[in-house]
Amino acid sequence: MRPITALKIGVSVAVGVLAIYGVMILAAIDSLKDSPFDPPPVAPLGRAATFEADGILETESGYVVAGVVGTSDPHRRAPCSGRFALVFLDAQGRAERATVLSGIETSRYCADRVDDFLPAPGRGWILAGTGVRDGGPAALFGGRSTDFQTVTLRLDESGALMESFGEDGLVEDHQAAGVLDGATFTTRLRRMTESGEVRDDLVVGEAAYEFWRAFEVERGFLVAVASGPGVTWQAFERDDPLVPRYHALPGATAATTNTLPLEADLGIGDTLLRDRVLYVAVRDRGGTRVNAVDPRRVRVVFGFNGTGAVRLPGYVTSERLLAAGPDGFEVATTAIDRGHHGDRLQVLRFGADGAADSSFGGRVKRKGRDVLLDPGLDDAVLDEAGRTLVLGGSTLVRLTAFGKIDPTFGRDGITRLRQVPVCELSPAARTDPCRGA
């Protein structure tokens, strides 16, 4: 008898594998005949629907928090019910009312998360987020595919959807990223009009800007930031004080960007533009530091701490940079706290020279214990009174102007938002989104 060679075994195995995949493909194709891609309509919210908060802004009487109420996973046994929602808080952190938004569910997408929450030019709000839906059976490996959709909505002051914006209040495939000199711009650096029309007339030239992850603006000045082998950015200035139209600074294009050898082997975190100095949180093997760079002259600002950088204490997991004081900035961070569920919150303040304010903040404590956030920071703002509001894991913390816990807010400085009864607080309590809740 001739011995069976390894080649023959390999060929037999390969043929068997191909046969199995052939059966799977035929089964998938057959299932597609009977299973339409369009999933059932988004389900009404149930009584146990929770609110996941993603962003916060200050209002005239308190604060407004944007997030998603309901479930966003279309693969669960129950139909997904996720909808964008706003919760309005008074100045003491008590939930006064809420708005459950309609619009995205008409396209059969469940709201998944809020990516940006902005004050609209004039009045009202702009909410940019992601929707998700069941895309039908996966063709090759079984299971089901998932479709994601980027959307932008415009809301009036009450939080109601402005149906004159886009198509029934919704603009698909474009995500608002900021407001610059009265013009809303998208993550592709295109201008979005008040009616939701997207125009390619914000930036001079034909270059495409598709991959920027952060945007910082000051009057007449825009910086787009990307993360790669180092920290990469592109600066733009306004051409005409009367027309919101910008050009890239000389010597820089989308393909050849302003780059400095700022090591960021673990990526970059939050960014802040103040007095035309760009502060960038950079993650490297040694932890997290904040670099100060001049985006116009493409150089490090060595007047900042003598080296152009300050190192943040602890193993930082998330951070937010906020303009604070006459010329400096504040940074709220979470850092790993071993042995606890969640990361400890700390706030620090630095001057334009990089000097730390030893009288401000530090590790935030509540009744003698560290404040922990899980899974970290989602957003942070400074209100007009100079108080810091930090949002993480649907927990909202307010600090005094000195960086200490504010006992007059919520319950000893903290408001829990996940269990807020959004439907009970919403004028839409008896409409379809909240039916049965």
Side-chain angles (χ1 to χ4, degrees):
M1 180 186 299
R2 293 183 181 179
I4 300 175
T5 63
L7 176 60
K8 288 182 178 179
I9 295 174
V11 170
S12 298
V13 171
V15 170
V17 169
L18 289 174
I20 292 173
Y21 277 117
V23 171
M24 291 174 61
I25 291 171
L26 290 174
I29 292 173
D30 186 63
S31 67
L32 290 177
K33 296 177 182 177
D34 301 323
S35 301
F37 277 102
D38 287 343
V42 179
L45 294 168
R47 294 183 181 277
T50 56
F51 177 65
E52 299 296 331
D54 297 310
I56 180 173
L57 292 171
E58 187 177 13
T59 67
E60 293 180 356
S61 59
Y63 311 98
V64 56
V65 180
V68 173
V69 61
T71 60
S72 60
D73 186 352
H75 298 164
R76 295 180 181 178
R77 292 182 180 179
C80 59
S81 60
R83 286 171 169 81
F84 292 122
L86 301 185
V87 174
F88 293 84
L89 309 175
D90 66 14
Q92 285 71 48
R94 293 184 292 261
E96 292 186 315
R97 59 187 178 88
T99 301
V100 179
L101 302 179
S102 297
I104 189 169
E105 63 271 20
T106 62
S107 298
R108 296 186 299 277
Y109 284 88
C110 280
D112 183 58
R113 67 180 182 273
V114 175
D115 297 306
D116 282 295
F117 185 44
L118 313 165
R123 305 183 75 86
W125 325 98
I126 293 175
L127 187 153
T130 304
V132 60
R133 74 171 177 179
D134 186 346
L140 289 179
F141 300 105
R144 304 183 73 80
S145 63
T146 301
D147 290 342
F148 290 89
Q149 177 69 62
T150 297
V151 296
T152 296
L153 304 89
R154 183 158 182 169
L155 320 171
D156 64 21
E157 292 177 86
S158 70
L161 192 70
M162 296 179 64
E163 296 186 359
S164 60
F165 180 79
E167 185 176 347
D168 297 326
L170 183 72
V171 174
E172 293 186 332
D173 294 326
H174 293 279
Q175 179 181 324
V179 177
L180 178 60
D181 299 338
T184 302
F185 65 91
T186 73
T187 54
R188 298 172 184 169
L189 293 188
R190 294 170 183 166
R191 183 168 64 91
M192 185 175 288
T193 68
E194 291 188 6
S195 64
E197 180 185 357
V198 178
R199 297 180 179 176
D200 194 12
D201 62 359
L202 182 71
V203 174
V204 175
E206 298 180 355
Y209 300 92
E210 301 284 351
F211 305 108
W212 304 107
R213 62 162 300 280
F215 302 89
E216 297 294 341
V217 299
E218 287 184 331
R219 188 167 185 82
F221 194 64
L222 164 68
V223 178
V225 186
S227 181
V231 179
T232 304
W233 68 87
Q234 175 71 65
F236 303 85
E237 285 188 317
R238 189 166 178 166
D239 288 321
D240 187 325
L242 301 178
V243 180
R245 188 166 173 82
Y246 297 79
H247 67 276
L249 291 185
T253 67
T256 307
T257 53
N258 293 334
T259 307
L260 282 176
L262 302 178
E263 183 184 3
D265 54 354
L266 298 181
I268 66 173
D270 202 27
T271 58
L272 171 70
L273 181 67
R274 185 158 201 205
D275 298 329
R276 300 207 174 185
V277 173
L278 179 67
Y279 299 97
V280 186
V282 174
R283 307 188 192 285
D284 57 28
R285 307 272 173 201
T288 300
R289 68 183 187 273
V290 177
N291 284 99
V293 296
D294 184 338
R296 295 168 297 172
R297 297 180 177 86
V298 199
R299 66 186 184 188
V300 173
V301 179
F302 287 104
F304 183 72
N305 199 38
T307 62
V310 293
R311 181 74 64 178
L312 301 180
Y315 192 85
V316 173
T317 56
S318 60
E319 74 290 311
R320 289 294 184 274
L321 305 179
L322 305 167
D327 59 6
F329 68 92
E330 178 181 321
V331 54
T333 76
T334 53
I336 287 179
D337 193 3
R338 300 188 185 280
H340 294 87
H341 296 289
D343 297 340
R344 69 173 182 269
L345 176 64
Q346 57 187 358
V347 290
L348 309 165
R349 184 169 287 179
F350 298 91
D353 59 357
D357 183 351
S358 60
S359 66
F360 178 85
R363 290 172 65 162
V364 178
K365 294 185 177 291
R366 177 177 180 248
K367 295 184 176 180
R369 296 184 178 182
D370 287 330
V371 171
L372 303 178
L373 295 179
D374 183 17
L377 293 178
D378 293 307
D379 201 6
V381 296
L382 281 173
D383 67 13
E384 290 189 356
R387 298 170 299 201
T388 307
L389 288 103
V390 177
L391 178 65
S394 294
T395 296
L396 182 60
V397 182
R398 190 169 78 181
L399 310 176
T400 68
F402 302 100
K404 307 300 181 184
I405 198 80
D406 184 353
T408 67
F409 182 80
R411 186 173 180 180
D412 298 319
I414 293 178
T415 291
R416 311 283 183 184
L417 296 168
R418 184 167 282 121
Q419 302 303 326
V420 168
V422 173
C423 276
E424 293 180 17
L425 295 172
S426 173
R430 292 180 177 83
T431 61
D432 285 344
C434 289
R435 190 175 64 242

